[in-house]
Amino acid sequence: MKILITIISLLLLSTGCITKNFNKINTDTSGHFNLTQNETNLISESKQRKKVNKHDVNNRAYKAKLTIEKLCRKRVNLGKNAAINNINKRSKSLAIIKTLELMTNNERANFMRIYNNGNNTISSLLSQQFKHSSLRTKAAELIKEASIIQIKKERIIISDLDNTIKPTNDPSVDGYVYPGTVKLLNTLDQKTTGDIHIVTARPFGARNSLNSASIQYNSISYGNIFGITAWLLGFHNPIKDRKVENIRRIMDQNTKSSVVLIGDDGQADAGAYLQIMQEYPERVEAALIHNVIGRKLPEAFYASTNSIIYNDFEDAAETLYSRGIINKMETENIINSLRNQ
């Protein structure tokens, strides 16, 4: 037996033990450590995950807003009895509470900011969607916890839709959206997603167009049929008046935020934006007008140092960069996205 053990020991010593990935870390002649390809891949994947997670954090408040708005749009079925409808209302309230609970206080504070600055308010959410006092109290407590957090005001973007985002009457472009639009809007929308507001002359029907174009918008402010009719008949320009009214409301909801205005030369955008620049001179960073039909704009708009007239979003990005509104890397990303479409 002793002889057998001795033979096995000698064999092990002579052949050595196999160790997987023994050369996992090597050193070069300078003494620096070199990582294997596997470790390099792991580090790269880790960085990518951090980047994705950071982007997800910035979107979490906006995603919560969309979730809660979707829940709020669910209607009570009048054909069902009161008991079933009561259960459905309670389930909706619980789902809203769960959405609020899944956010950190900081995310919830950002959610409150973008929710209040759109077409809805937190107070209406609590009063209309929580019929049970205990659930309303629970939701109010979650809101109160976040309300004490100081959230930095971010830039808001107010944009027209037709011939600005969507090439409605522009035969030179196919598709739902002008090339580079989404990237430019997302770039202007700063750290927390949810500050893009659409102000359109359309009386309805903007939501589907925006969803088709994958625009992450906060709110939509519509025009009306009477305004469009009066404009077509050559009367005064009620489209401009309506847009100014809608833009004022958004700016007054975002009292400390700067704004970038984006429109086109087709109807009333330049006149409306000129009036807004005159009323809020310290807050308008830039007013961009897309040159689609070559219509002459108000002389005062041309003269404004904040006005930008652009032919495409590459042109717009380069001008925004020259004004210091976006940086070089953001500009290159917009241009690359435009060229890849």
Side-chain angles (χ1 to χ4, degrees), residues 8-218:
I8 292 171
S9 300
L10 289 170
L11 286 170
L12 287 171
L13 288 170
S14 63
T15 58
C17 297
I18 298 173
T19 304
K20 291 184 178 180
N21 296 328
F22 182 75
N23 292 321
K24 191 172 184 181
I25 299 178
N26 301 311
T27 57
D28 59 19
T29 55
S30 64
H32 293 107
F33 287 103
N34 293 325
L35 298 176
T36 64
Q37 186 62 43
N38 287 340
E39 284 196 331
T40 303
N41 290 341
L42 285 172
I43 291 172
S44 178
E45 289 171 8
S46 176
K47 287 181 178 178
Q48 186 66 25
R49 279 197 300 272
K50 285 180 181 177
K51 185 177 180 181
V52 170
N53 290 340
K54 182 180 178 182
H55 179 71
D56 187 58
V57 167
N58 294 345
N59 274 284
R60 207 167 288 162
Y62 179 70
K63 288 178 180 177
K65 173 185 178 291
L66 296 182
T67 299
I68 289 175
E69 285 178 341
K70 186 176 180 180
L71 288 166
C72 293
R73 284 196 294 269
K74 288 186 176 180
R75 300 295 182 187
V76 172
N77 190 336
L78 297 176
K80 294 181 179 179
N81 63 44
I84 293 176
N85 280 332
N86 193 42
I87 292 171
N88 289 338
K89 288 177 183 177
R90 188 176 180 86
S91 297
K92 183 195 292 188
S93 299
L94 287 169
I96 293 172
I97 288 172
K98 187 64 177 177
T99 303
L100 293 172
E101 287 177 333
L102 287 172
M103 290 184 282
T104 64
N105 277 342
N106 194 66
E107 290 164 352
R108 210 176 300 141
N110 274 308
F111 158 77
M112 291 166 59
R113 180 183 68 80
I114 61 176
Y115 196 86
N116 275 326
N117 293 342
N119 294 332
N120 306 294
T121 63
I122 294 295
S123 59
S124 65
L125 175 69
L126 293 174
S127 63
Q128 295 173 15
Q129 303 302 327
F130 293 90
K131 302 305 179 185
H132 297 81
S133 60
S134 60
L135 296 179
R136 190 185 311 114
T137 300
K138 175 62 177 174
E141 287 173 354
L142 291 167
I143 295 298
K144 186 177 179 180
E145 286 175 6
S147 63
I148 60 174
I149 296 175
Q150 295 295 318
I151 294 296
K152 182 181 177 182
K153 294 292 184 181
E154 298 185 15
R155 172 196 296 129
I156 58 173
I157 302 95
I158 298 176
S159 177
D160 179 45
L161 174 59
D162 295 297
N163 293 330
T164 301
I165 293 174
K166 178 180 172 61
T168 308
N169 300 314
D170 189 347
S172 66
V173 179
D174 294 325
Y176 291 111
V177 65
Y178 281 103
T181 306
V182 176
K183 194 69 176 178
L184 183 135
L185 289 173
N186 289 343
T187 298
L188 289 171
D189 193 1
Q190 293 174 304
K191 184 178 179 182
T192 303
T193 304
D195 289 301
I196 298 170
H197 300 268
I198 307 301
V199 176
T200 176
R202 287 189 185 195
F204 52 79
R207 192 180 303 278
N208 289 339
S209 295
L210 291 165
N211 291 340
S212 298
S214 300
I215 304 296
Q216 294 180 310
Y217 62 93
N218 183 318

Side-chain angles (χ1 to χ4, degrees), residues 155-157 180-181 183-189 259-263 284-289 305-310 312-332 334-335:
R155 172 196 296 129
I156 58 173
I157 302 95
T181 306
K183 194 69 176 178
L184 183 135
L185 289 173
N186 289 343
T187 298
L188 289 171
D189 193 1
V259 62
V260 170
L261 305 165
I262 310 176
V284 178
E285 288 185 84
L288 291 84
I289 291 294
T305 56
N306 291 329
S307 66
I308 297 172
I309 301 166
Y310 67 96
D312 56 37
F313 279 106
E314 179 174 352
D315 187 14
E318 289 174 344
T319 308
L320 287 168
Y321 170 59
S322 71
R323 303 277 180 94
I325 296 172
I326 60 176
N327 62 41
K328 185 177 181 180
M329 183 178 292
E330 290 169 337
T331 305
E332 290 172 351
I334 293 166
I335 293 171

